[in-house]
Amino acid sequence: MKFVDVIVKLGDETNHVYKASLPLEIGRMDHGEELLRTQNVGNGNFRLAVAPIDMIGVSRRSMRVEDNGDGGLRLVNIHSTNSFQVSDENLVVGPGQSLSVSGNVTVKLPQQLMLTFTLKSMNAPVEYDRSMRTLEAVESSMTNGTQDARLGQLKNETSDKNPAAVAVSLVRQALTVVQKAAGSNEFFEAAVRAVANMIELDRAFVILFESDHWTVRSMFSFESDSSINFTDSKTIEPLPSGSTRLLDNVLQTKKTVIYEPDSYLQTAGSSMISLDRAVAAPMFNKAGEVIGVVYGDRRVVDDRSNEPIGELEATLLEVMASAVASGLARQHEESLRASLTQFFSPAVTDRLEKNENLLLGRDAEVTVLFCDIRGFSAVSKRVGPARTIEWINDVMTELSQCVIETDGVLVDYIGDELMAMWGAPAQQPDHALRACRTASLMLKQIEPLRQKWSDITSDQFGFGIGINTGVAQVGNTGSKVKFKYGPLGNTVNVASRVQGMTKAFGVRVLLTSSTLDEVTKCQGAASEIVLQTRHLADAKPLGINEVVTLYELNPDADPNWQQLRLSYEKALDCYHKSDLAGAAKELASLVYKNANDTPSVLLLGRVVDALTHKKTVVDPVFVFDHK
C-alpha cells in the first residue's frame, strides 16, 4: 500500500501530515470536514483538506495525487478551470492534465499555498531489532497444534494443551469473524463454523429477526463439516427444531438464553425432545433492538460432549454475536453509502450517515436547477444510438461533477436534461448561491466538450439552465423499488418552466427573483453574482398561476455587457411604466449595437406592437402558452 507524507506551508506556518493514503484528493476545506486530516471518501479514495474554508482562492477539488506505478507520483489536475505549478520542474499543470514525477515534489497552489509530497510504502524493509517480536511469532511458538482449539480444552485440567495457547487460538478464531468482509457468505460461514467448533456444538446458526419473523441466514453442521448460506429470498430454511421457544425468550428478555432440561421427561411430546443442550445469544442494533441471534445446539442422539453450557461458553457466544452484529451494521453502512454516493457528494453523504432521518419526507426551502442540453437532437440524428449514448454519458458526467463540486443533489436525468437541488437533505444556508455557482461551472464545460467531441458536436451545442428557489416537499420521490431523493411541488414546476424559457429569450441561464433574493443574503461572492444578472422580464409560464420575475445570469459579463444590461433595464423600466416612446428610444440604439441580443429584440418587438396598436397602457407580463 502506498502513502505520501505531505508538508503544508502557508506563509510562516508549516504543518506535516504523515502517511496520507493514495489516491489522495487535495482541496479547500468544506463544511463537515477537518483541516489537515485525511478522510476516506469511499471506493478506495481519500481526501485531504489543506486550506481553510474561507480561503476561496483554493478550489475545493484542486488536484489528485496517485501512485504512478513506476516508483513515483502522478499529479492530476481535477479542476475544470484552474492550474497549479510544480515548482521543482517549473511546470504548469492545466485543467485535466497530469504529470508524473519521481522523488519529492513541491506544488504551488493559489494564495501562496505550498505542498510537498514524499512517497512512502508500507512494504519498505524494516531494520531488524531483536528486542522486538511480532505477535505472529508469539502465536506460532505457543499455538502449535491448537489452531482449532475448543473451549473444553481450556477447562479440562488433564488436557495436554497449553492453556495460554488454547486461549490465544480461541481469540484468533473470534477475530477471524470480525476480520471477514461484512455481510458476505464468507463472513457468516466463519461465524457459524467458529461457534460450533469452539463450544463443541452439533449445529450453529445465524438467525435474523426481520419484519417480525425469524429467518435463518447461515448454518453449520459438525456432522457434515459444512456450512450453508441462505441468501435467496425464495428459499426459506425452516428454523432449527425446538428453537422457537428459545428465540422468543431471547426476544423478550434481550439476554442470552441457555436450554438445559432437568430430565427428558419434561420435553416428551414437544419439539424440544431431540435437544440435549441449546443456547442463543442476541445481536443488537444501535438502538438496542434485537436484530437476530447466534444459536447453537447439541442433539440427544449425538455421542459428543454433553458438558453443560456454562457462563464461559455463553459469554464466548455473546462475543461472536456482537461480532456478527457489528458486521451487519458495517454492511448496512457500506450499502447505504454506496447508494447515497449515486446522488450526494462525499460531504453530504457523511452527514447523512450520521443522521439518516435527514432523508425523511418534509418541507424545506431549496433551490432547484434544470439543465437541458442544446443540440441533442441534431447529434442523435446524425451519429446514431451507440455514439449518441457515449456522447451523452460524457456530457452528463461533466454536468454531474459540477453539481457534486458544490455539494448538490443529483435528483434525476430526464432524457437530455439534468435535475439538481440544494438545501436538502442537509441544510445549506447558501443553497441559492451554490446553484448559481454550479450554473457557472456548467457553462465552462461547453467549450472543452465541444473540442473533445468536435467530430459530432453541432453549432447549436450548449446548455439551457433554469433555477428557482422556494419551499418544496423533499424526500424519496421514487419508490420502494427504486430510490430517488428529490423535491416535489410548485417550486420544481417553476424551475422546469424557467429552463424552457431560456430558448424563447435566447439566453443560457435564467433564475427567478426568489433565487436572486436568497443570493443577496449571502456574503462574499454573492455581490459578484448580482453584478452578473440582468432583469429580463416578468413572465407567466404555462400551467403556473403566478407571475415570475426573471433574471439572466451571465458569468462572462464584461464591461460591454454591463453597459448593455444598464440600457436594457432602463428600457424595461420604461415599458413597465407604459412609456413606450422612452422604451423605443433606448431599445433602438441598443438593438443597433447588439443585434444578436435576443431579449432586446423581443422587447423592441413588443414596444413596436404596442405603438402600432396605439396602446396607452401595456401589460408588461410575457404570457407563455407552451413549455
Side-chain angles (χ1 to χ4, degrees), residues 103-387:
N104 299 352
V105 60
T106 299
V107 173
K108 182 179 180 182
L109 294 178
Q111 296 188 233
Q112 299 182 331
L113 180 62
M114 305 289 289
L115 307 176
T116 300
F117 301 101
T118 303
L119 183 63
K120 299 288 184 179
S121 174
M122 285 295 286
N123 298 322
V126 179
E127 183 179 351
Y128 178 72
D129 185 345
R130 66 174 62 250
S131 66
M132 300 183 185
R133 58 181 178 176
T134 65
L135 182 60
E136 288 77 14
V138 174
E139 179 193 1
S140 62
S141 66
M142 292 181 59
T143 61
N144 186 28
T146 62
Q147 286 82 0
D148 293 321
R150 299 178 177 88
L151 192 58
Q153 296 171 338
L154 190 62
K155 299 167 63 178
N156 187 352
E157 297 179 356
T158 63
S159 173
D160 60 350
K161 302 296 183 182
N162 182 341
V166 173
V168 169
S169 178
L170 291 172
V171 173
R172 286 283 177 180
Q173 292 181 66
L175 283 175
T176 298
V177 179
V178 177
Q179 294 168 350
K180 294 295 183 181
S184 69
N185 290 343
E186 186 180 14
F187 173 77
F188 288 104
E189 179 184 359
V192 292
R193 181 179 291 272
V195 165
N197 182 69
M198 291 190 294
I199 307 179
E200 297 184 76
L201 300 169
D202 294 335
R203 301 180 303 172
F205 297 78
V206 171
I207 307 174
L208 302 182
F209 186 69
E210 302 173 308
S211 302
D212 296 328
H213 69 273
W214 297 98
T215 304
V216 175
R217 179 61 178 79
S218 183
M219 72 161 290
F220 174 80
S221 169
F222 184 87
E223 182 179 3
S224 62
D225 191 28
S226 63
S227 59
I228 304 174
N229 289 282
F230 303 98
T231 57
D232 187 353
S233 59
K234 297 180 181 179
T235 303
I236 301 177
E237 176 69 10
L239 293 176
S241 177
S243 66
T244 304
R245 284 174 54 190
L246 206 65
L247 299 181
D248 290 342
N249 204 311
V250 171
L251 195 61
Q252 183 177 2
T253 64
K254 295 187 177 182
K255 295 181 180 179
T256 299
V257 177
I258 303 171
Y259 169 72
E260 288 181 329
D262 293 333
S263 70
Y264 296 113
L265 292 177
Q266 69 183 82
T267 62
S270 76
S271 61
M272 304 182 79
I273 191 171
S274 62
L275 294 182
D276 177 54
R277 318 275 181 187
V279 60
M283 300 185 295
F284 300 101
N285 60 15
K286 291 181 180 179
E289 301 167 331
V290 176
I291 58 171
V293 299
V294 175
Y295 168 92
D297 59 28
R298 300 183 191 138
R299 318 298 289 176
V300 172
V301 296
D302 195 86
D303 59 358
R304 292 180 63 213
S305 169
N306 65 348
E307 288 291 321
I309 297 176
E311 297 291 328
L312 189 56
E313 287 88 346
T315 301
L316 187 57
L317 192 70
E318 287 180 345
V319 172
M320 300 300 289
S322 179
V324 176
S326 297
L328 287 170
R330 193 163 65 249
Q331 177 194 23
H332 172 72
E333 291 172 358
E334 291 174 356
S335 175
L336 176 64
R337 187 173 188 93
S339 63
L340 292 180
T341 52
Q342 298 179 44
F343 305 93
F344 309 112
S345 70
V348 175
T349 298
D350 288 341
R351 295 184 66 179
L352 291 176
E353 287 181 326
K354 296 174 183 177
N355 184 7
E356 292 182 31
N357 290 333
L358 290 174
L359 292 174
L360 297 177
R362 59 190 174 90
D363 286 341
E365 185 178 78
V366 297
T367 299
V368 180
L369 177 150
F370 283 87
C371 178
D372 182 68
I373 300 174
R374 301 286 188 253
F376 172 80
S377 298
V379 172
S380 61
K381 290 179 181 178
R382 188 168 64 253
V383 302
R387 189 75 165 143

Side-chain angles (χ1 to χ4, degrees), residues 331-596:
Q331 177 194 23
H332 172 72
E333 291 172 358
E334 291 174 356
S335 175
L336 176 64
R337 187 173 188 93
S339 63
L340 292 180
T341 52
Q342 298 179 44
F343 305 93
F344 309 112
S345 70
V348 175
T349 298
D350 288 341
R351 295 184 66 179
L352 291 176
E353 287 181 326
K354 296 174 183 177
N355 184 7
E356 292 182 31
N357 290 333
L358 290 174
L359 292 174
L360 297 177
R362 59 190 174 90
D363 286 341
E365 185 178 78
V366 297
T367 299
V368 180
L369 177 150
F370 283 87
C371 178
D372 182 68
I373 300 174
R374 301 286 188 253
F376 172 80
S377 298
V379 172
S380 61
K381 290 179 181 178
R382 188 168 64 253
V383 302
R387 189 75 165 143
T388 298
I389 293 297
E390 184 182 3
W391 172 72
I392 196 71
N393 282 344
D394 190 34
V395 175
M396 286 298 187
T397 298
E398 294 300 324
L399 293 176
S400 301
Q401 190 58 51
C402 295
V403 175
I404 292 173
E405 185 163 338
T406 57
D407 290 330
V409 176
L410 285 167
V411 178
D412 208 354
Y413 303 108
I414 311 163
D416 59 347
E417 189 173 42
L418 176 147
M419 178 184 176
M421 176 183 69
W422 293 258
Q427 287 189 348
Q428 295 169 318
D430 58 344
H431 51 83
L433 181 58
R434 289 173 183 261
C436 292
R437 284 175 169 170
T438 303
S440 299
L441 290 173
M442 288 176 168
L443 295 182
K444 291 176 182 177
Q445 305 308 312
I446 294 176
E447 195 53 38
L449 285 168
R450 193 194 304 276
Q451 294 178 8
K452 183 177 181 179
W453 297 90
S454 59
D455 58 326
I456 67 171
T457 303
S458 65
D459 294 336
Q460 294 81 28
F461 174 70
F463 305 136
I465 302 172
I467 306 173
N468 182 44
T469 299
V471 175
Q473 296 80 49
V474 298
N476 179 14
T477 60
S479 66
K480 293 181 180 180
V481 177
K482 182 176 176 60
F483 176 83
K484 185 180 79 171
Y485 187 87
L488 294 173
N490 190 62
T491 297
V492 181
N493 297 335
V494 171
S496 178
R497 295 291 190 269
V498 168
Q499 184 282 123
M501 288 188 284
T502 58
K503 290 183 179 180
F505 285 104
V507 297
R508 300 179 298 178
V509 184
L510 281 178
L511 52 94
T512 64
S513 57
S514 59
T515 298
L516 188 59
D517 289 344
E518 285 299 315
V519 168
T520 57
K521 296 178 183 179
C522 303
Q523 298 178 350
S527 59
E528 180 182 349
I529 295 291
V530 173
L531 290 174
Q532 295 170 350
T533 59
R534 168 171 50 157
H535 182 193
L536 210 60
D538 289 349
K540 190 175 184 301
L542 177 66
I544 304 297
N545 294 325
E546 62 191 89
V547 175
V548 181
T549 300
L550 300 174
Y551 290 82
E552 176 193 7
L553 175 64
N554 181 15
D556 299 327
D558 57 18
N560 291 333
W561 189 87
Q562 294 291 357
Q563 185 58 52
L564 181 151
R565 175 179 67 87
L566 293 173
S567 298
Y568 179 88
E569 290 182 344
K570 183 177 179 181
L572 183 65
D573 183 60
C574 290
Y575 181 69
H576 281 197
K577 294 177 179 178
S578 297
D579 179 7
L580 299 177
K585 179 180 178 181
E586 196 70 39
L587 287 168
S589 174
L590 186 59
V591 171
Y592 178 77
K593 295 177 181 178
N594 303 275
N596 294 325

